[in-house]
Amino acid sequence: MKGNYDKAFENVVRLRVMSILMVNEQYDFNSFKEILEVTDGNLASHLRYLENQDYVAVEKTFVGRKPQTNYSATASGKKAFQDHLDFLEQLIKENKN
Amino acid sequence: MKKPEQELAEIKSMMERSTRFLSLSGLSGVLAGIYALIGGGFAWYWLYFPQSQWGDSSQLLSSSSLLPRLLLLAISVLLLAIGSALLLSKRKSKQKAQVFWNSASKRFMQALFIPVLVGGLFTFALIHESAFQLIPANLLIFYGLGLFAASNFTLGEIQKLGFFQLILGIMSAFFPDYGLWFWISGFGILHVIYGALMYQKYDR
């Protein structure tokens, strides 16, 4: 069967984070927090999970004097997400038959 | 595990919300059109009334005190339109519990306003060179280009609006005598139609 169901994307916050990073080159912590409406701690732990999987890369910079944490999807993260998408599509196709 | 259809829908909606500015208010398009129609009415009255001729107005313009008045009128119409769009879109994003000022809206504004700003500066150059007859064409074309670029970052329908503005702009360049009418059609009538359609589709 094509694709692979990835446990990393079982959680809805991680799924959403990865969806956003597929279409945005970079996304910062506070923007994630606003769009996903989750708490700091919750978001941070999910982002760390993805980071440990080597699915996202972290870059800390300063905007003026404020620190900003930017996230981007790594090549392996993009591939894993694409596989996950393929799996879902395959599943839908099979259900139709 | 959730149903795969649901999960795909979730992914799609996140991708759209994070890249597209979805709070653009349809009503603000209608208002912008109405301001333009009123402004266009004033301009017509000052330029052509009571002769009501179609003809060339640039002769009139370069020799009279009309120019500053028209400029002021145009800038007021522009500011009113931008002001209403900001206010109504802010309200809409509040209603939908979305953040107004995010990376998507910033990209949208950048795509729209860089062509529009350049067009504005170019208009001053045209005034400086007394090439008044090309001003409506210039405004329509740069605005159309801005809409076209911005359509990547908002609801796709705006691309069609941009397309029609570009057509009117090019036509206006070839028939400069009818410039004011092209301007009124583009900024007035098209905005009202587009805004009403968008309001029907998304805002109710």
Side-chain angles (χ1 to χ4, degrees), chain B residues 118-132 134-135 138:
Chain B
V118 173
L121 292 175
F122 194 70
T123 303
F124 282 108
L126 289 177
I127 292 172
H128 182 72
E129 296 295 317
S130 303
F132 304 108
L134 285 176
I135 290 175
N138 166 60

Side-chain angles (χ1 to χ4, degrees), chain B residues 7-51:
Chain B
E7 209 162 329
L8 281 181
E10 176 78 43
I11 291 167
K12 195 170 163 237
S13 116
M14 261 302 117
M15 286 178 166
E16 287 207 326
R17 268 185 59 194
S18 65
T19 49
R20 283 171 191 264
F21 172 52
L22 301 176
S23 311
L24 192 60
S25 151
L27 209 56
S28 67
V30 176
L31 282 178
I34 291 172
Y35 303 146
L37 286 174
I38 296 171
F42 270 106
W44 176 82
Y45 186 81
W46 291 341
L47 282 170
Y48 301 119
F49 197 78
Q51 297 104 309

Side-chain angles (χ1 to χ4, degrees), chain B residues 4-188:
Chain B
E5 286 90 345
Q6 267 179 332
E7 209 162 329
L8 281 181
E10 176 78 43
I11 291 167
K12 195 170 163 237
S13 116
M14 261 302 117
M15 286 178 166
E16 287 207 326
R17 268 185 59 194
S18 65
T19 49
R20 283 171 191 264
F21 172 52
L22 301 176
S23 311
L24 192 60
S25 151
L27 209 56
S28 67
V30 176
L31 282 178
I34 291 172
Y35 303 146
L37 286 174
I38 296 171
F42 270 106
W44 176 82
Y45 186 81
W46 291 341
L47 282 170
Y48 301 119
F49 197 78
Q51 297 104 309
S52 183
Q53 65 201 12
W54 294 93
D56 184 14
S57 59
S58 44
Q59 226 94 65
L60 254 119
L61 265 180
S62 47
S63 61
S64 74
S65 60
L66 221 54
L67 186 60
R69 248 201 296 174
L70 280 172
L71 211 55
L72 198 68
L73 178 74
I75 291 172
S76 334
V77 167
L78 177 70
L79 289 181
L80 267 174
I82 292 178
S84 324
L86 276 179
L87 226 69
L88 288 171
S89 300
K90 243 182 188 161
R91 205 184 61 175
K92 187 172 163 188
S93 61
K94 215 178 216 173
Q95 279 169 352
K96 287 169 59 179
Q98 288 174 352
V99 189
F100 177 70
W101 199 240
N102 56 17
S103 60
S105 56
K106 275 179 218 162
R107 267 183 284 190
F108 167 79
M109 305 231 181
Q110 198 181 33
L112 176 61
F113 281 113
I114 286 178
V116 167
L117 272 177
V118 173
L121 292 175
F122 194 70
T123 303
F124 282 108
L126 289 177
I127 292 172
H128 182 72
E129 296 295 317
S130 303
F132 304 108
Q133 71 280 10
L134 285 176
I135 290 175
N138 166 60
L139 291 173
L140 285 163
I141 288 170
F142 277 96
Y143 181 56
L145 290 175
L147 291 177
F148 226 76
S151 70
N152 290 319
F153 308 111
T154 184
L155 298 163
E157 283 87 345
I158 212 170
Q159 198 182 45
K160 287 191 196 108
L161 179 65
F163 188 66
F164 285 120
Q165 304 282 15
L166 285 173
I167 292 177
L168 283 177
I170 293 294
M171 280 172 25
S172 171
F174 282 102
F175 303 98
D177 289 353
Y178 302 95
L180 183 60
W181 299 103
F182 283 114
W183 189 90
I184 289 174
S185 312
F187 285 93

